[in-house]
């Protein structure tokens, strides 16, 4: 991949956007593509506006013979992002893909030092706050070949059992390749994020899926992704991003913030692969996701995270049996009990 191409992308050209996806996001499982080092980062994106409920104007015939907005009286709504605020995270849910748009979490050295919860007491459960017709279901993942991949990992929420339970809601999940990704490289990446509390007293991470195009032999670019479930219900992302904010002071209106953005393909990645190869300009994630992440953070308060810390993963053997269970996983408390708790989040 050429650095000149990335320069074009940062400049914002349309051609550069297509080139970026070709470079960062190859869909071939056997080849994990790399991305050179980039630019800077912005606040969790705002959900799409709620339905219009105000009275609709009726134009006079002298103004217009038609009233297209009149259909809204029947209940047509714009796209809705279901915002979910839980003890462990805040998220915006995409009803079309049955995956989150984004999931935001916050942890500190103090929160990670507490061990008041265990995964054995948590169960995967559907999000009761999402209308059933738009909900990701446990059955969608059953024998799908994909893990229910936490966007906010359970290990970041050990400070209370309720917080850990809330990470197991399906609106915090996306289908992820298991061996070689969710149970391996992605888990190491999550651990890397936790180690940042050695350098920063406050760390925020926004995580989410991407559905990126690839170039086909005919030279055209197409977006292609699998949908799992019967009937097909949940989209399988082609890639995942993380935007990291390392705050030098907690809740400071003037403190500087170290930023980094990463995009990883949803495929097996060798543990020998450098994490720096997946660092991208924040603008690349914004272009691909349609979100903005730091437009309210002044330039003078921004730093580049990977110039302050070594952006490499620490390869450790994880207990893979903890990473993924069957669709019928049951802990010491049942799904109904946790669903009841979810209604008050």
């Amino acid at each position: 991949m050429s650095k000149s191409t990335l320069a074009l992308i940062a400049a914002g050209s349309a051609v550069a956007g297509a080139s970026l996806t070709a470079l960062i996001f190859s869909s071939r499982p056997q080849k994990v593509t790399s991305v050179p080092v980039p630019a800077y980062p912005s606040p969790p994106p705002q959900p799409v506006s709620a339905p219009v409920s105000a009275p609709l104007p009726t134009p006079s015939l002298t103004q217009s013979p038609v009233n297209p907005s009149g259909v809204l009286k029947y209940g047509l709504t714009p796209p809705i992002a279901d915002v979910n605020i839980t003890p462990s995270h805040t998220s915006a849910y995409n009803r079309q893909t049955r995956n989150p748009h984004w999931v935001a979490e916050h942890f500190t050295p103090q929160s990670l030092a507490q061990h008041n919860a265990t995964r054995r007491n948590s169960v995967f459960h559907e999000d009761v706050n999402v209308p059933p017709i738009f909900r990701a279901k446990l059955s969608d993942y059953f024998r799908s070949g994909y893990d229910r991949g936490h966007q906010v990992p359970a290990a970041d929420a050990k400070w209370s059992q309720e917080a850990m339970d809330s990470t197991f809601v399906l609106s915090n999940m996306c289908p992820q390749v298991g061996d070689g990704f969710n149970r391996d490289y992605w888990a190491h990446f999550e651990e890397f994020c936790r180690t940042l509390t050695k350098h920063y007293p406050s760390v925020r991470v926004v995580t989410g899926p991407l559905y990126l195009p690839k170039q086909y032999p005919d030279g055209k670019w197409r977006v292609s992704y699998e949908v799992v479930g019967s009937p097909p219900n949940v989209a399988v992302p082609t890639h995942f991003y993380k935007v990291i904010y390392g705050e030098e002071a907690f809740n400071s209106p003037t403190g500087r913030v170290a930023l980094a953005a990463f995009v990883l393909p949803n495929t097996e990645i060798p543990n020998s692969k450098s994490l720096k190869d997946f660092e991208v300009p924040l603008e690349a994630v914004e272009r691909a996701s349609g979100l903005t992440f730091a437009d309210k953070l002044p330039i003078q308060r921004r730093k580049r995270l990977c110039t302050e810390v070594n952006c490499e993963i620490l390869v450790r053997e994880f207990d893979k049996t903890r990473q993924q269970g069957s669709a019928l996983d049951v802990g010491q408390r049942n799904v109904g009990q946790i669903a009841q708790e979810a209604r008050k989040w």
Side-chain angles (χ1 to χ4, degrees):
M1 97 190 65
S2 75
K3 292 187 177 179
S4 61
T5 305
L6 268 182
L8 287 173
I9 294 160
S13 90
V15 174
S19 300
L20 177 65
T21 56
L23 296 168
I24 306 179
F25 319 118
S26 168
S27 62
R28 297 180 181 177
Q30 70 273 23
K31 292 184 180 179
V32 178
T33 50
S34 304
V35 183
V37 183
Y40 301 110
S42 172
Q46 299 298 317
V48 181
S49 58
V52 176
S53 57
L56 301 170
T58 303
S60 69
L61 290 179
T62 58
Q63 296 174 325
S64 172
V66 298
N67 178 22
S69 298
V71 72
L72 299 181
K73 66 185 177 185
Y74 299 121
L76 179 65
T77 65
I80 294 173
D82 296 281
V83 175
N84 195 14
I85 300 175
T86 80
S88 65
H89 65 273
T90 298
S91 66
Y93 180 77
N94 185 332
R95 293 183 174 188
Q96 182 180 23
T97 63
R98 275 69 168 179
N99 288 320
H101 288 290
W102 53 267
V103 180
E105 61 174 319
H106 176 224
F107 48 84
T108 65
Q110 294 75 26
S111 72
L112 293 180
Q114 299 182 49
H115 299 279
N116 303 319
T118 172
R119 294 176 65 106
R120 290 192 298 274
N121 291 339
S122 299
V123 294
F124 290 97
H125 57 283
E126 297 173 10
D127 192 334
V128 295
N129 297 307
V130 176
I133 191 174
F134 302 120
R135 199 178 290 173
K137 298 178 172 57
L138 291 169
S139 58
D140 293 327
Y141 285 86
F142 185 60
R143 294 181 177 174
S144 69
Y146 293 96
D147 285 4
R148 292 162 291 195
H150 285 70
Q151 301 302 280
V152 169
D156 294 358
K158 292 180 180 178
W159 52 272
S160 86
Q161 189 63 54
E162 185 183 16
M164 180 170 284
D165 290 345
S166 67
T167 69
F168 281 79
V169 66
L170 288 192
S171 58
N172 182 45
M173 304 290 159
C174 293
Q176 289 186 325
V177 169
D179 284 331
F181 188 67
N182 181 46
R183 306 172 210 171
D184 295 284
Y185 200 94
W186 185 253
H188 303 317
F189 186 21
E190 293 170 334
E191 178 65 19
F192 163 79
C193 294
R194 288 188 285 273
T195 64
L196 292 175
T197 55
K198 297 177 181 178
H199 305 275
Y200 307 101
S202 174
V203 177
R204 301 182 188 276
V205 182
V206 179
T207 306
L210 294 172
Y211 311 86
L212 299 173
K214 71 173 183 177
Q215 192 170 27
Y216 282 73
D218 62 4
K220 296 182 179 180
W221 293 82
R222 298 182 179 89
V223 177
S224 176
Y225 54 83
E226 186 179 350
V227 181
V228 298
S230 182
N233 194 45
V234 180
V236 180
T238 62
H239 297 77
F240 292 93
Y241 69 84
K242 280 187 182 290
V243 175
I244 302 172
Y245 308 71
E247 300 175 328
E248 67 178 19
F250 179 42
N251 263 355
S252 169
T254 58
R256 300 189 70 192
V257 181
L259 298 162
F262 300 87
V263 172
L264 282 66
N266 188 13
T267 188
E268 183 177 348
I269 302 176
N271 284 332
S272 58
K273 190 73 173 170
S274 172
L275 181 60
K276 291 179 181 177
D277 289 342
F278 299 112
E279 188 188 8
V280 301
L282 184 67
E283 292 80 3
V285 180
E286 292 179 327
R287 177 185 293 276
S289 66
L291 307 171
T292 57
F293 295 91
D295 60 335
K296 294 182 181 178
L297 181 65
I299 295 295
Q300 60 270 24
R301 290 182 57 197
R302 302 183 188 189
K303 302 185 289 183
R304 270 209 38 231
L305 185 140
C306 290
T307 62
E308 298 195 329
V309 302
N310 184 22
C311 288
E312 295 292 351
I313 65 168
L314 173 65
V315 177
R316 234 175 37 180
E317 287 301 320
F318 285 81
D319 179 3
K320 295 183 181 180
T321 62
R322 295 183 307 150
Q323 299 295 324
Q324 175 69 8
S326 74
L328 302 177
D329 283 343
V330 177
Q332 294 179 18
R333 292 180 298 156
N334 63 38
V335 175
Q337 289 174 299
I338 293 181
Q340 277 297 110
E341 293 178 5
R343 293 182 187 278
K344 64 185 179 184
W345 292 339

